[in-house]
Amino acid sequence: MSAALSGATGSVEGPADTGSPVAYDPPLTPVEHTLATAFTEVLGIERVGRQDNFLDLGGDSVAAMSVRARARRAGLDVSAHRIMRSETLADLAGSTRSIAEATRAVSEAARSTAVAPQDQRWDQKTIDQLRNGIR
């Protein structure tokens, strides 16, 4: 029953040579497609489905770095650690942000923790007073 739809899940059983121990469930989102393409290119396999696990497909830390580099070139912010620790491609895609989103989050965090100019002057004034009092 290769390549036949299983009506209950909508997944297609993959060929035996993909290295995947699970039935093929094709990528759905653009992020899933991008990561699946990176997996197939780096691991040298035919296709990767949503329920596939990077390590089960033969991935290792060096391969994870290659996947990360390809994902970054495609505009995704994902760590090699997350690639190795995610249970499935779908899980990885769900926790992956675009580089633009990651940059925006860092910028917002930096703005929220920035010290106002008057606070800087007060801090410098306090430091000067402490220095003068210690001498």
Side-chain angles (χ1 to χ4, degrees), residues 33-66:
H33 280 282
T34 300
L35 293 171
T37 298
F39 278 27
T40 59
E41 291 172 356
V42 170
L43 299 175
I45 56 179
E46 186 178 324
R47 63 184 180 187
V48 175
R50 301 184 77 237
Q51 301 309 311
D52 287 326
N53 176 283
F54 180 73
L55 297 176
D56 291 344
L57 295 173
D60 59 22
S61 60
V62 174
M65 293 299 292
S66 294

Short mmCIF file of all heavy atoms in Angstrom, two decimals, residues 33-66:
data_model
loop_
_atom_site.label_atom_id
_atom_site.label_comp_id
_atom_site.label_asym_id
_atom_site.label_seq_id
_atom_site.Cartn_x
_atom_site.Cartn_y
_atom_site.Cartn_z
N HIS A 33 8.11 23.26 5.27
CA HIS A 33 8.69 22.97 3.95
C HIS A 33 10.16 23.37 3.91
O HIS A 33 11.00 22.61 3.40
CB HIS A 33 7.92 23.70 2.84
CG HIS A 33 6.66 23.01 2.44
ND1 HIS A 33 6.63 21.91 1.62
CD2 HIS A 33 5.37 23.28 2.76
CE1 HIS A 33 5.39 21.53 1.44
NE2 HIS A 33 4.60 22.34 2.13
N THR A 34 10.49 24.53 4.45
CA THR A 34 11.87 25.01 4.45
C THR A 34 12.77 24.07 5.26
O THR A 34 13.85 23.68 4.81
CB THR A 34 11.95 26.44 5.02
OG1 THR A 34 11.16 27.30 4.20
CG2 THR A 34 13.38 26.94 5.08
N LEU A 35 12.32 23.70 6.45
CA LEU A 35 13.12 22.81 7.30
C LEU A 35 13.22 21.41 6.68
O LEU A 35 14.29 20.79 6.71
CB LEU A 35 12.52 22.74 8.70
CG LEU A 35 12.61 24.03 9.52
CD1 LEU A 35 11.80 23.91 10.80
CD2 LEU A 35 14.07 24.39 9.81
N ALA A 36 12.13 20.91 6.11
CA ALA A 36 12.16 19.59 5.47
C ALA A 36 13.14 19.58 4.30
O ALA A 36 13.89 18.61 4.12
CB ALA A 36 10.75 19.20 5.00
N THR A 37 13.17 20.64 3.53
CA THR A 37 14.12 20.74 2.42
C THR A 37 15.55 20.72 2.94
O THR A 37 16.40 20.01 2.40
CB THR A 37 13.86 22.01 1.60
OG1 THR A 37 12.54 21.94 1.04
CG2 THR A 37 14.87 22.17 0.48
N ALA A 38 15.81 21.46 4.00
CA ALA A 38 17.15 21.47 4.60
C ALA A 38 17.53 20.08 5.10
O ALA A 38 18.65 19.62 4.89
CB ALA A 38 17.21 22.49 5.74
N PHE A 39 16.59 19.39 5.75
CA PHE A 39 16.85 18.03 6.24
C PHE A 39 17.22 17.11 5.07
O PHE A 39 18.19 16.36 5.15
CB PHE A 39 15.61 17.44 6.93
CG PHE A 39 15.39 17.85 8.36
CD1 PHE A 39 15.85 19.05 8.87
CD2 PHE A 39 14.68 17.02 9.21
CE1 PHE A 39 15.62 19.42 10.18
CE2 PHE A 39 14.45 17.37 10.53
CZ PHE A 39 14.92 18.56 11.02
N THR A 40 16.42 17.14 3.99
CA THR A 40 16.66 16.22 2.88
C THR A 40 18.00 16.51 2.22
O THR A 40 18.73 15.57 1.87
CB THR A 40 15.54 16.29 1.82
OG1 THR A 40 15.44 17.61 1.30
CG2 THR A 40 14.21 15.84 2.38
N GLU A 41 18.35 17.78 2.06
CA GLU A 41 19.61 18.13 1.42
C GLU A 41 20.80 17.71 2.28
O GLU A 41 21.78 17.16 1.78
CB GLU A 41 19.66 19.64 1.15
CG GLU A 41 18.69 20.07 0.07
CD GLU A 41 18.59 21.59 -0.06
OE1 GLU A 41 19.21 22.31 0.74
OE2 GLU A 41 17.89 22.04 -0.99
N VAL A 42 20.73 17.98 3.57
CA VAL A 42 21.85 17.68 4.47
C VAL A 42 21.98 16.18 4.72
O VAL A 42 23.09 15.64 4.74
CB VAL A 42 21.69 18.46 5.80
CG1 VAL A 42 22.69 17.98 6.84
CG2 VAL A 42 21.85 19.96 5.56
N LEU A 43 20.85 15.51 4.92
CA LEU A 43 20.89 14.08 5.27
C LEU A 43 20.91 13.16 4.06
O LEU A 43 21.11 11.96 4.20
CB LEU A 43 19.70 13.73 6.17
CG LEU A 43 19.64 14.48 7.50
CD1 LEU A 43 18.37 14.14 8.26
CD2 LEU A 43 20.88 14.20 8.34
N GLY A 44 20.70 13.73 2.87
CA GLY A 44 20.74 12.93 1.66
C GLY A 44 19.63 11.91 1.56
O GLY A 44 19.83 10.80 1.08
N ILE A 45 18.44 12.29 2.02
CA ILE A 45 17.29 11.39 1.94
C ILE A 45 16.25 11.99 1.00
O ILE A 45 16.30 13.18 0.69
CB ILE A 45 16.69 11.10 3.33
CG1 ILE A 45 16.30 12.38 4.05
CG2 ILE A 45 17.66 10.29 4.17
CD1 ILE A 45 15.68 12.16 5.41
N GLU A 46 15.32 11.17 0.59
CA GLU A 46 14.35 11.57 -0.43
C GLU A 46 13.34 12.61 0.06
O GLU A 46 13.05 13.58 -0.62
CB GLU A 46 13.60 10.33 -0.93
CG GLU A 46 12.67 10.62 -2.08
CD GLU A 46 12.00 9.35 -2.57
OE1 GLU A 46 12.64 8.29 -2.57
OE2 GLU A 46 10.82 9.44 -2.95
N ARG A 47 12.79 12.39 1.25
CA ARG A 47 11.79 13.33 1.77
C ARG A 47 11.70 13.21 3.29
O ARG A 47 12.08 12.20 3.88
CB ARG A 47 10.43 13.13 1.14
CG ARG A 47 9.82 11.77 1.42
CD ARG A 47 8.53 11.61 0.68
NE ARG A 47 7.95 10.30 0.97
CZ ARG A 47 6.92 9.82 0.37
NH1 ARG A 47 6.31 10.51 -0.56
NH2 ARG A 47 6.46 8.63 0.69
N VAL A 48 11.17 14.27 3.89
CA VAL A 48 11.01 14.33 5.35
C VAL A 48 9.59 14.78 5.63
O VAL A 48 9.11 15.74 5.03
CB VAL A 48 12.02 15.32 5.98
CG1 VAL A 48 11.77 15.48 7.46
CG2 VAL A 48 13.44 14.87 5.73
N GLY A 49 8.93 14.08 6.53
CA GLY A 49 7.56 14.42 6.89
C GLY A 49 7.47 15.12 8.23
O GLY A 49 8.46 15.23 8.96
N ARG A 50 6.29 15.56 8.56
CA ARG A 50 6.03 16.32 9.78
C ARG A 50 6.35 15.53 11.05
O ARG A 50 6.72 16.10 12.06
CB ARG A 50 4.55 16.73 9.85
CG ARG A 50 4.11 17.59 8.69
CD ARG A 50 2.67 18.05 8.85
NE ARG A 50 2.68 19.15 9.82
CZ ARG A 50 1.97 19.14 10.94
NH1 ARG A 50 1.18 18.14 11.23
NH2 ARG A 50 2.04 20.17 11.75
N GLN A 51 6.18 14.23 11.03
CA GLN A 51 6.38 13.42 12.22
C GLN A 51 7.78 12.80 12.31
O GLN A 51 8.08 12.06 13.25
CB GLN A 51 5.32 12.31 12.29
CG GLN A 51 3.89 12.85 12.31
CD GLN A 51 3.67 13.92 13.37
OE1 GLN A 51 4.03 13.74 14.52
NE2 GLN A 51 3.08 15.04 12.97
N ASP A 52 8.65 13.14 11.37
CA ASP A 52 10.01 12.60 11.38
C ASP A 52 10.87 13.30 12.42
O ASP A 52 10.72 14.49 12.69
CB ASP A 52 10.66 12.72 10.01
CG ASP A 52 10.08 11.73 9.00
OD1 ASP A 52 9.74 10.61 9.43
OD2 ASP A 52 9.99 12.08 7.82
N ASN A 53 11.80 12.53 12.98
CA ASN A 53 12.74 13.02 13.99
C ASN A 53 14.12 13.11 13.36
O ASN A 53 14.58 12.15 12.72
CB ASN A 53 12.75 12.05 15.18
CG ASN A 53 13.76 12.44 16.23
OD1 ASN A 53 14.95 12.22 16.07
ND2 ASN A 53 13.28 13.01 17.32
N PHE A 54 14.79 14.22 13.54
CA PHE A 54 16.10 14.48 12.94
C PHE A 54 17.11 13.39 13.28
O PHE A 54 17.81 12.88 12.40
CB PHE A 54 16.59 15.86 13.41
CG PHE A 54 17.93 16.25 12.87
CD1 PHE A 54 18.07 16.62 11.55
CD2 PHE A 54 19.04 16.26 13.69
CE1 PHE A 54 19.30 16.99 11.04
CE2 PHE A 54 20.28 16.63 13.20
CZ PHE A 54 20.41 17.00 11.87
N LEU A 55 17.20 13.01 14.53
CA LEU A 55 18.17 12.00 14.95
C LEU A 55 17.82 10.62 14.38
O LEU A 55 18.71 9.88 13.95
CB LEU A 55 18.27 11.94 16.47
CG LEU A 55 18.78 13.22 17.14
CD1 LEU A 55 18.74 13.08 18.65
CD2 LEU A 55 20.17 13.58 16.66
N ASP A 56 16.53 10.28 14.35
CA ASP A 56 16.10 9.00 13.79
C ASP A 56 16.42 8.90 12.30
O ASP A 56 16.59 7.80 11.77
CB ASP A 56 14.61 8.77 14.00
CG ASP A 56 14.24 8.54 15.46
OD1 ASP A 56 15.15 8.26 16.27
OD2 ASP A 56 13.04 8.66 15.78
N LEU A 57 16.49 10.04 11.63
CA LEU A 57 16.80 10.07 10.20
C LEU A 57 18.30 9.99 9.93
O LEU A 57 18.73 9.99 8.79
CB LEU A 57 16.22 11.33 9.55
CG LEU A 57 14.70 11.46 9.54
CD1 LEU A 57 14.27 12.82 9.03
CD2 LEU A 57 14.09 10.35 8.70
N GLY A 58 19.09 9.97 11.00
CA GLY A 58 20.54 9.88 10.84
C GLY A 58 21.26 11.18 11.10
O GLY A 58 22.46 11.29 10.87
N GLY A 59 20.54 12.18 11.60
CA GLY A 59 21.16 13.47 11.89
C GLY A 59 22.08 13.41 13.09
O GLY A 59 21.91 12.58 13.98
N ASP A 60 23.07 14.29 13.10
CA ASP A 60 23.99 14.45 14.23
C ASP A 60 24.30 15.92 14.40
O ASP A 60 23.71 16.76 13.71
CB ASP A 60 25.26 13.62 14.02
CG ASP A 60 26.02 13.98 12.75
OD1 ASP A 60 25.85 15.11 12.23
OD2 ASP A 60 26.81 13.15 12.27
N SER A 61 25.22 16.26 15.30
CA SER A 61 25.48 17.67 15.60
C SER A 61 26.05 18.42 14.40
O SER A 61 25.71 19.58 14.17
CB SER A 61 26.41 17.80 16.81
OG SER A 61 27.64 17.16 16.55
N VAL A 62 26.89 17.77 13.62
CA VAL A 62 27.46 18.42 12.44
C VAL A 62 26.36 18.68 11.41
O VAL A 62 26.28 19.78 10.83
CB VAL A 62 28.61 17.58 11.84
CG1 VAL A 62 29.11 18.17 10.54
CG2 VAL A 62 29.75 17.45 12.85
N ALA A 63 25.51 17.70 11.20
CA ALA A 63 24.39 17.88 10.27
C ALA A 63 23.44 18.97 10.77
O ALA A 63 22.90 19.74 9.98
CB ALA A 63 23.65 16.55 10.08
N ALA A 64 23.24 19.03 12.09
CA ALA A 64 22.36 20.05 12.66
C ALA A 64 22.90 21.45 12.36
O ALA A 64 22.13 22.38 12.09
CB ALA A 64 22.20 19.85 14.16
N MET A 65 24.22 21.62 12.41
CA MET A 65 24.81 22.92 12.08
C MET A 65 24.57 23.27 10.60
O MET A 65 24.30 24.42 10.27
CB MET A 65 26.31 22.91 12.38
CG MET A 65 26.63 22.80 13.86
SD MET A 65 25.97 24.16 14.84
CE MET A 65 26.96 25.51 14.25
N SER A 66 24.63 22.28 9.74
CA SER A 66 24.36 22.52 8.31
C SER A 66 22.90 22.88 8.08
O SER A 66 22.58 23.77 7.29
CB SER A 66 24.72 21.28 7.50
OG SER A 66 26.11 21.05 7.54
#
